[in-house]
């Protein structure tokens, strides 16, 4: 459900890095959304709403800048993702296709 640092994670020879993974039970459809700034840094505390007709769920990004949706999702190509965070311009992504394990990165600007 969460990977801090983002996956895939390149690693040079003779170096080490800490990777924190949060695992959950497998379900048919999930959506992991990462929220970053224009330099690629995670945005903590952003509000992320995933919605479509008959469904709406809102989560707040973790210290990894990620949210994870794994309940109530059906296979459909018409989800909308609305993201907002203090100090950033709100951003909407339409026609998100959730049909398996979907990942999406949203970049917010100031």
């Amino acid at each position: 459900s969460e990977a801090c640092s983002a996956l895939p994670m390149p690693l040079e020879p003779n170096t080490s890095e800490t990777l924190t993974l949060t695992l959950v039970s497998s379900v048919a459809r999930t959506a992991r959304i990462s929220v970053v700034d224009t330099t690629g840094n995670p945005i903590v505390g952003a509000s992320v709403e995933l919605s479509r007709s008959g469904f709406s769920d809102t989560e707040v990004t973790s210290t990894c800048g990620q949210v994870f949706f794994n309940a109530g999702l059906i296979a459909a190509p018409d989800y909308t993702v609305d993201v907002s965070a203090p100090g950033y311009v709100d951003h909407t992504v339409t026609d998100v296709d959730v049909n398996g394990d979907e990942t999406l990165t949203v970049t917010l600007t100031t």
Side-chain angles (χ1 to χ4, degrees), residues 66-95:
Q66 298 175 9
V67 295
F68 185 71
F69 300 94
N70 67 342
L73 303 176
I74 64 168
D78 62 346
Y79 283 88
T80 298
V81 175
D82 290 301
V83 182
S84 62
Y88 293 91
V89 177
D90 295 354
H91 189 77
T92 299
V93 180
T94 58
D95 298 324

Side-chain angles (χ1 to χ4, degrees), residues 32-101:
R32 181 166 41 99
I33 301 168
S34 299
V35 181
V36 298
D37 63 19
T38 55
T39 61
N41 293 316
I43 298 176
V44 178
S47 175
V48 180
E49 180 185 17
L50 179 67
S51 63
R52 68 176 304 276
S53 180
F55 174 84
S56 178
D57 193 5
T58 302
E59 297 288 338
V60 175
T61 56
S62 67
T63 57
C64 297
Q66 298 175 9
V67 295
F68 185 71
F69 300 94
N70 67 342
L73 303 176
I74 64 168
D78 62 346
Y79 283 88
T80 298
V81 175
D82 290 301
V83 182
S84 62
Y88 293 91
V89 177
D90 295 354
H91 189 77
T92 299
V93 180
T94 58
D95 298 324
V96 175
D97 188 5
V98 175
N99 188 17
D101 296 322

